[in-house]
Each structure stands twice: as structure tokens, then as C-alpha cells.
Amino acid sequence: MEYSRAKATDGSGWVYGYPVVVPTLPYPPEAPADDPQASPEPVMIGLMFPTDVSKYNGVSDWSEATTSVDINTIQRHIGVIGGNSADVFEGDIITANRYPFENWNAVLTWNNDFSTFVLRYYRKKGYAGRDIFADMVEPIKYLITANVDVIGNIIDNGDLL
């Protein structure tokens, strides 16, 4: 089972583990008092179980082993890519050392049409060349031999795009 990362809601940074998204209690939620006919929407919360199973020892309540995370920051672990085996997550911003990629940054995202992770390219700041990759997406397999560097992620470093 692949793990993920997400931002902890307490502001302590990235948490790595296995995410679970559940509705807050009470569930099902009660209709608003001002409109009893309204269909209430459940509010979802994210919890992250740690990858270190030793943290489960002696835990009688599963919530003691989890960390609350922002569900909008959950990013799946993709694995390693490139000739230098860069460890990457969904949403990572990468750069590569191989023509024509050296003038572009790419974001790893899931693409439902291809049912795989793809690279979405963005021209590097200061590059004035042709927009050959503008709005282009491609499977990550094309970077199999390039040296890939993770330079940030879309949550913390969106200014790199």
C-alpha cells in the first residue's frame, strides 16, 4: 500500500502516512434549524495514520494514533522517477536536466483521461524561448533516464510556476 503526505491542521508541517477521510459527528448531520427540509452536507475531516506501525502499540482508541490533516493537501506518493531515482509525490514541482526539459518545470498530477500520473509543464521564470510545452501533459515515463530534481510542491512553492 502506497502512503501519502498532507499538512497537519495544527500547523506542524507535513505528515506522512495513510490518509482516511471521514465525516465529522454527528453523522448523518442534522438539517439546519432555519430550513429543516434542507439536505445537510457532511463536513469531511482528514486523518493520517502514521507509516510507523510501532505508534499503534498500546493504543486503545484509533484516534490516538492519527493526526488531523487538511484534506485539500493530501498528496499520494508516486515512487521514484528518473535516472537519479528522485522520490516524488503528487503535486511535486520537478525539473530535469535533459533537453528540452531544462527550461521548464513540471507538476506531477493525476490525469483521469490517461489513468496515470502525468507531467504538466510550466515555463521557468526568465526563459524567453518558444512555448513548445504550454498546456502540455505527458506520462512521467518520458523522464525515465533524465536526472530529476524535486524543487518544491504546489502547496508550499506555487510561486515556482
Side-chain angles (χ1 to χ4, degrees):
M1 177 191 292
E2 286 295 326
Y3 63 98
S4 297
R5 72 177 176 199
K7 288 279 196 160
T9 56
D10 66 5
S12 62
W14 289 102
V15 178
Y16 296 82
Y18 305 102
V20 178
V21 179
V22 296
T24 59
L25 296 176
Y27 190 80
E30 299 172 10
D34 59 338
D35 187 3
Q37 300 301 319
S39 297
E41 290 290 323
V43 175
M44 305 304 281
I45 59 170
L47 301 172
M48 188 75 77
F49 284 97
T51 54
D52 181 2
V53 294
S54 69
K55 301 213 184 222
Y56 302 116
N57 292 340
V59 172
S60 59
D61 180 358
W62 62 269
S63 64
E64 294 175 24
T66 61
T67 302
S68 180
V69 296
D70 179 349
I71 62 173
N72 297 314
T73 65
I74 296 173
Q75 298 175 330
R76 294 173 282 184
H77 182 250
I78 296 172
V80 294
I81 64 170
N84 60 333
S85 300
D87 194 29
V88 294
F89 287 82
E90 177 181 17
D92 276 350
I93 301 170
I94 65 167
T95 189
N97 68 339
R98 187 181 84 180
Y99 175 82
F101 304 107
E102 72 271 6
N103 295 314
W104 296 78
N105 290 332
V107 176
L108 294 164
T109 59
W110 179 258
N111 185 291
N112 285 329
D113 295 335
F114 296 127
S115 296
T116 190
F117 287 100
V118 296
L119 301 164
R120 179 169 300 278
Y121 288 96
Y122 296 86
R123 182 173 32 184
K124 286 184 181 176
K125 295 192 184 333
Y127 173 65
R130 293 181 23 216
D131 278 342
I132 59 174
F133 289 123
D135 299 319
M136 182 177 146
V137 296
E138 69 177 358
I140 60 176
K141 67 182 180 180
Y142 294 112
L143 289 179
I144 217 162
T145 59
N147 284 336
V148 173
D149 292 312
V150 176
I151 59 173
N153 63 68
I154 58 173
I155 294 171
D156 293 334
N157 312 102
D159 58 325
L160 294 174
L161 303 176

